[in-house]
Amino acid sequence: MKKNITLLLIFITMSLLQAADEGSIKWTFSTGGEIYSLPAIGGDGTIYLASYDKYLYALNSDGSLKWKYHALTDNNWECFLRNTPALGSDGTVYFVDNSYGYLFAVGNDGTEKWKADFTDGRIAAPPAIGPNGEIIIVTTMREVFSVNPADGSINWKYTFSGGEDEAGAVIDASGAVFVRGGRLKKISPSGNEEWEFENGSNIYSSAIIAGDGTLYITGSSDKTLYALDGNGNELWNFTAGDKIYGSPVLGPDGTIYFYSYDGFIHAVNPDGTEKWTFDEQFQSLFGDIKATPIVGADSVVYFSGVTSDFSTRLFAINPDGSARWSVTLSDVVRFQATISRDSLLLVPQGNKLLAIKVGSAGLADSPFPKFRGDYANTGYVNVSVTAIGPRKENIPGKFSVSEVYPNPFNPRARIRLNLKRSARVRVDVYNATGRRLLRLTDGQKNTGRQELIWDASSYGSGVYFIDVMIDGVHMTRKALLVK
């Protein structure tokens, strides 16, 4: 009995000491330039970090230097590194430079495998890695490349219009690529555009993919989190109090977390209802810093920002939205962080990488517990997005869309629109697998009734979906072709 009490006291004492240790800085690593990137963590615990001093660093788990690689072009020009590295399944480190448009492949021993020049401009987004090891990069020239990991050769190239993508591509299990250029676009595994989602405002964040195949994307000035199905149809939206520039993240129960310029961390249930908000009156002092929360293995959420008293504080937030602990940091941090498997929160601060002790034993078991998803920052999720889901049609009085008629049909299907005001209308036809077959119309339509006709003479019998987008709002109608 006495022995059991002694063991219990030892356990309680160790637990209290561990809790007291949370938030303490265990080590720092300094580079010769600013650190803008999110670290990647290999399966052996090695930490990979890119710095503006033109070096890629590999660190041991205790913060000591393992090796560093000097990034140079073919002409021996030094490359400024701002972007997050990604790790291939064989440990190869892929990273891009922000000066000349190079993609580098470096082995986990620090030796160069290859480098390739892809653009006359820059590569402002981190690389992503697909299910077959292909590397997806997005350039400031609005180009998307699929790259062969063996030698850096090009598999395919896709060019888009709109704004630049600085957040990076996201890839699902089928190899479909999701990028944003002001609008969210889905690109097939062979490099063809399948659809785009437009919200009337430039989208600055990358999409994330939930375990059930739902896509989540945050707008910017429209202050809105969107849930989409695999055809780009809106399932629901949640509006915050101010702009949202950072990407959302996911907890293990499907809760979506994001930071808004209203000063709150928002937690939203998978059905679009509010779960809680965490209010520390974070200040928006630094332009459109794309701060992103991170979720630990115990569902604790971490975030750092400048609070109302103008101090920089790091918070650990319990799953119910209450504060677990907070610490004051000496300077502003760029909060796109990760958590190592040995319970260290790794976050850049100026030219330093801070390793801060936390209670979470690594990342949450969810597809996107942090920016860029997994430990390796691949942006890849072993889930295929859901083709068709429920719709939110909350726009009475502005326009209406009829069902397809006749239904079943052969060979022509009709659909009627009733517009109470002039609006941009786009109508696409998809097959049952979610592949876009054709676009019936895309342009401004006048007030009044409109009828669109699809002649399906060249298509086989089966189920089809007609997606109608009016001023950025999607509605889908099911049609059955019987020949």
Side-chain angles (χ1 to χ4, degrees), residues 62-82:
D62 63 359
S64 59
L65 179 65
K66 197 170 187 178
W67 52 258
K68 63 180 182 178
Y69 167 86
H70 194 189
L72 301 170
T73 69
D74 292 327
N75 297 319
N76 286 327
W77 295 338
E78 292 185 307
C79 297
F80 295 95
L81 307 181
R82 292 176 60 101

Side-chain angles (χ1 to χ4, degrees), residues 341-364:
R341 297 173 183 87
D342 53 352
S343 302
L344 293 177
L345 179 71
L346 303 174
V347 57
Q349 184 187 60
N351 71 327
K352 298 178 181 179
L353 181 68
L354 307 182
I356 301 172
K357 180 66 177 178
V358 294
S360 304
L363 298 171

Side-chain angles (χ1 to χ4, degrees), residues 55-128:
Y55 282 90
L56 172 76
Y57 293 87
L59 310 180
N60 295 304
S61 58
D62 63 359
S64 59
L65 179 65
K66 197 170 187 178
W67 52 258
K68 63 180 182 178
Y69 167 86
H70 194 189
L72 301 170
T73 69
D74 292 327
N75 297 319
N76 286 327
W77 295 338
E78 292 185 307
C79 297
F80 295 95
L81 307 181
R82 292 176 60 101
N83 273 316
T84 295
L87 307 180
S89 59
D90 63 350
T92 300
V93 189
Y94 300 100
F95 62 99
V96 300
D97 88 284
N98 286 78
S99 305
Y100 306 108
Y102 271 73
L103 171 66
F104 294 85
V106 175
N108 58 10
D109 60 355
T111 58
E112 180 183 295
K113 290 189 171 183
W114 52 259
K115 57 189 173 188
D117 184 3
F118 282 93
T119 178
D120 293 329
R122 300 179 297 112
I123 305 175

Side-chain angles (χ1 to χ4, degrees), residues 380-402:
Y380 168 72
V381 177
N382 191 25
V383 173
S384 293
V385 295
T386 308
I388 294 293
R391 302 175 303 276
K392 183 173 182 178
E393 299 177 12
N394 55 350
I395 44 173
K398 295 183 180 179
F399 55 80
S400 62
V401 179
S402 75

Side-chain angles (χ1 to χ4, degrees), residues 15 18 110 120 122 288 330 353 387 434 480:
S15 299
Q18 181 178 359
D120 293 329
R122 300 179 297 112
D288 62 340
S330 61
L353 181 68
L480 178 62

Side-chain angles (χ1 to χ4, degrees), residues 115-363:
K115 57 189 173 188
D117 184 3
F118 282 93
T119 178
D120 293 329
R122 300 179 297 112
I123 305 175
I129 301 177
N132 299 310
E134 67 275 21
I135 308 144
I136 303 295
I137 58 172
V138 187
T139 77
T140 58
M141 305 300 287
R142 297 164 180 83
E143 302 161 317
V144 182
F145 290 94
S146 173
V147 181
N148 187 328
D151 56 9
S153 59
I154 297 173
N155 298 323
W156 53 256
K157 172 185 172 182
Y158 164 81
T159 303
F160 62 91
S161 60
E164 297 178 6
D165 186 339
E166 297 182 355
V170 170
I171 309 172
D172 78 358
S174 72
V177 178
F178 299 86
V179 297
R180 62 95 179 151
R183 305 166 182 173
L184 178 65
K185 304 173 189 293
K186 179 183 179 182
I187 306 170
S188 72
S190 57
N192 299 307
E193 182 184 320
E194 295 195 359
W195 54 255
E196 66 178 17
F197 172 75
E198 181 182 14
N199 68 334
S201 172
N202 281 333
I203 295 172
Y204 286 93
S205 73
S206 64
I208 63 172
I209 304 171
D212 64 356
T214 302
L215 284 162
Y216 297 107
I217 188 81
T218 48
S220 55
S221 58
D222 75 348
K223 315 171 187 177
T224 303
L225 166 73
Y226 295 91
L228 310 176
D229 73 8
N231 278 343
N233 301 307
E234 183 182 326
L235 307 178
W236 52 258
N237 66 66
F238 176 90
T239 302
D242 208 336
K243 299 180 289 294
I244 311 166
Y245 287 108
S247 299
V249 297
L250 287 169
D253 61 351
T255 301
I256 308 108
Y257 302 95
F258 66 91
Y259 163 68
S260 166
Y261 269 28
D262 59 12
F264 297 157
I265 304 296
H266 293 268
V268 180
N269 293 308
D271 62 359
T273 59
E274 181 180 284
K275 188 172 185 178
W276 49 257
T277 58
F278 183 77
D279 178 13
E280 282 295 331
Q281 298 180 336
F282 293 107
Q283 304 296 300
S284 305
L285 299 177
F286 307 99
D288 62 340
I289 286 179
K290 301 169 181 65
T292 301
I294 181 170
V295 188
D298 52 358
S299 297
V300 172
V301 179
Y302 300 91
F303 186 78
S304 179
V306 178
T307 55
S308 56
D309 60 358
F310 298 102
S311 63
T312 300
R313 296 175 69 192
L314 169 66
F315 288 87
I317 308 169
N318 289 314
D320 63 0
S322 61
R324 182 180 179 91
W325 52 259
S326 70
V327 293
T328 300
L329 301 176
S330 61
D331 200 357
V332 175
V333 298
R334 294 182 177 90
F335 203 75
Q336 288 179 342
T338 188
I339 303 174
S340 69
R341 297 173 183 87
D342 53 352
S343 302
L344 293 177
L345 179 71
L346 303 174
V347 57
Q349 184 187 60
N351 71 327
K352 298 178 181 179
L353 181 68
L354 307 182
I356 301 172
K357 180 66 177 178
V358 294
S360 304
L363 298 171

